[in-house]
Amino acid sequence: MRHLIIFESPFQLITSLQFIEFTAARKVTIVFIETKNSKNSFQVEKLVALVLNKFHFIDYEYKVVRREGRRVKFAFNLLRCCFYLKQFKFDDILTGDVRSIYQRFIFQNTNFFRLVLVDDGIALINSIKVIDSFECYFKHSGSKVERFLNLLLPSITIGNYFVFSILPFHELKSVSLSLVEDNYKQNFFNCSLFPVMEDEHLNKSMYDCIFIGGAIVQAGFIEENVYIELVCKLVERFFCGAYKKVLYLPHRRESLIQVSAIKNKLNCDVLHLESPVELEFMSKNIDGHGFVTFTSAALFTLNKIDPSKKFYYSKIEPSLLREDCHSSFFRMYSLFDSFSEEIKL
């Protein structure tokens, strides 16, 4: 069996590798599509160096579609990758976000039997929602490269697809007309597959509250000043006004200005992670009595790793959010309700 992994984020790679271990695949081609975010690329390269050799592949190759120089160079790199992959027939193609025009361009120009959707936070829910209506989603593609690639692709309907997710089947089925239980397998997030990456130079502390940030400002879902005020209000409500030891974990796409404002207002510690939060937590580089967030799906995976911890979330008032993202946020809150406590603002 030959498998192809296409990914753009560290967590997409983590969940893809768990599927590879589950299927005991023998030949794997791994393609990383670089994003504009240098922190993302740094985390991916570190993860690749630490993790790949731990998996029992008989044969694997790793390729990078580099985002270097002019946009046309990136498009050329993508086309060259597709041309190389055309020589193979893949049993499965694993993707963390079928909405990505770059991932879609590769798998639509590759010979394969089945598409496998893996987790990347809430992106999986959104991917399943649009899986039968690519045309509606992609007609709004933004950059010149995306619009050019979209012109080369016909709208499609995916027939044979499979879902490998930490999310329960009923949550995914509620947004899908085509998903059936035979095409679903739950990912129990096997921690033993990944190496311990203890950082001996890190000043480790037990925090009263670890706040998991999100890139919802950068995604255009909410205004920056509103998000900052909500973070501060949530931490204050968490401690009932009596501030204790707080650690803020920014998403890799959060701006330094935004993170600095949160740090100054809360007088808290900030840690820019070099690996996904799940691996840092497993390696005991971070630890706390309580984990808090507005929207980070990491709350769910951390609960899978250690359910003895306390987990909390807070809902953002819909009027503060962009209207077209309301349903995605509500589905995330529904998931949080199953294992964590809501803090009302």
Side-chain angles (χ1 to χ4, degrees):
M1 295 178 67
R2 181 182 288 273
H3 290 63
L4 171 64
I5 295 172
I6 315 168
F7 75 102
E8 296 177 55
S9 76
F11 198 72
Q12 289 178 22
L13 177 60
I14 287 174
T15 52
S16 295
L17 290 174
Q18 288 179 323
F19 179 81
I20 294 299
E21 187 76 12
F22 163 69
T23 58
R26 296 302 181 218
K27 292 181 180 292
V28 183
T29 300
I30 303 170
V31 176
F32 169 46
I33 304 174
E34 279 192 340
T35 67
K36 296 178 181 178
N37 188 289
S38 59
K39 292 178 183 176
N40 185 72
S41 296
F42 175 79
Q43 282 197 10
V44 165
E45 294 300 334
K46 180 176 180 182
L47 186 62
V48 165
L50 287 169
V51 169
L52 281 189
N53 288 331
K54 185 177 175 64
F55 283 77
H56 309 299
F57 305 147
I58 289 179
D59 180 23
Y60 77 87
E61 59 179 339
Y62 175 65
K63 291 186 170 295
V64 180
V65 179
R66 302 216 173 266
R67 190 182 289 268
E68 55 190 358
R70 295 178 178 271
R71 291 172 181 168
V72 68
K73 180 68 178 297
F74 173 63
F76 173 77
N77 290 341
L78 195 65
L79 290 168
R80 184 170 59 181
C81 178
C82 289
F83 182 77
Y84 171 77
L85 295 174
K86 269 189 173 296
Q87 66 182 298
F88 303 113
K89 171 69 175 177
F90 294 100
D91 294 280
D92 290 329
I93 292 186
L94 283 67
T95 173
D97 191 353
V98 296
R99 303 167 305 156
S100 163
I101 187 65
Y102 308 125
Q103 295 197 34
R104 178 190 168 208
F105 190 81
I106 290 179
F107 72 67
Q108 271 197 255
N109 285 283
T110 306
N111 297 315
F112 68 97
F113 172 69
R114 182 177 66 171
L115 189 69
V116 178
L117 310 184
V118 298
D119 287 307
D120 190 23
I122 201 170
L124 177 62
I125 292 178
N126 293 331
S127 291
I128 291 176
K129 285 171 65 176
V130 301
I131 200 165
D132 294 322
S133 55
F134 277 100
E135 189 173 15
C136 295
Y137 186 85
F138 286 109
K139 68 181 180 182
H140 299 296
S141 297
S143 73
K144 290 181 180 179
V145 173
E146 288 176 332
R147 291 199 297 270
F148 167 71
L149 294 174
N150 204 31
L151 287 174
L152 302 180
L153 292 173
S155 59
I156 61 169
T157 298
I158 294 177
N160 191 19
Y161 77 97
F162 189 89
V163 174
F164 183 69
S165 175
I166 60 173
L167 303 178
F169 177 76
H170 67 85
E171 285 288 342
L172 301 178
K173 181 59 181 174
S174 66
V175 300
S176 171
L177 298 175
S178 54
L179 181 63
V180 295
E181 201 156 4
D182 286 345
N183 289 339
Y184 164 85
K185 177 68 178 179
Q186 186 159 16
N187 177 4
F188 292 102
F189 211 80
N190 184 359
C191 304
S192 66
L193 299 180
F194 300 96
V196 173
M197 303 180 297
E198 188 170 357
D199 189 342
E200 297 177 353
H201 304 291
L202 193 63
N203 182 20
K204 300 171 188 175
S205 301
M206 173 64 77
Y207 289 91
D208 298 295
C209 169
I210 294 182
F211 197 112
I212 307 172
I216 58 176
V217 172
Q218 289 66 34
F221 295 153
I222 194 170
E223 296 295 326
E224 182 178 76
N225 64 312
V226 176
Y227 175 74
I228 293 171
E229 289 302 320
L230 286 175
V231 170
C232 297
K233 187 176 180 180
L234 177 52
V235 171
E236 182 178 356
R237 187 64 57 89
F238 181 83
F239 290 126
C240 299
Y243 281 87
K244 297 184 181 180
K245 199 162 188 179
V246 179
L247 175 65
Y248 185 80
L249 299 178
H251 189 278
R252 60 190 176 278
R253 290 199 286 123
E254 284 188 71
S255 72
L256 292 177
I257 293 175
Q258 176 179 306
V259 174
S260 178
I262 292 171
K263 177 184 169 98
N264 292 336
K265 283 179 175 289
L266 289 178
N267 190 27
C268 65
D269 291 341
V270 170
L271 180 60
H272 294 272
L273 298 177
E274 295 186 356
S275 301
V277 61
E278 293 84 1
L279 300 191
E280 297 285 2
F281 179 64
M282 282 161 25
S283 301
K284 302 191 182 303
N285 291 329
I286 56 171
D287 203 0
H289 296 296
F291 292 81
V292 188
T293 192
F294 283 116
T295 60
S296 176
L299 202 69
F300 189 79
T301 50
L302 292 176
N303 172 257
K304 289 288 185 184
I305 295 171
D306 187 355
S308 69
K309 297 292 183 182
K310 298 292 186 181
F311 298 94
Y312 306 88
Y313 79 99
S314 185
K315 297 176 181 177
I316 299 176
E317 176 65 34
S319 62
L320 301 176
L321 296 167
R322 201 176 72 198
E323 188 173 352
D324 63 350
C325 69
H326 288 180
S327 62
S328 296
F329 276 67
F330 292 155
R331 292 203 176 278
M332 184 63 76
Y333 298 148
S334 173
L335 182 65
F336 289 164
D337 275 338
S338 65
F339 67 91
S340 59
E341 180 181 337
E342 180 187 355
I343 299 175
K344 297 184 182 295
L345 295 181

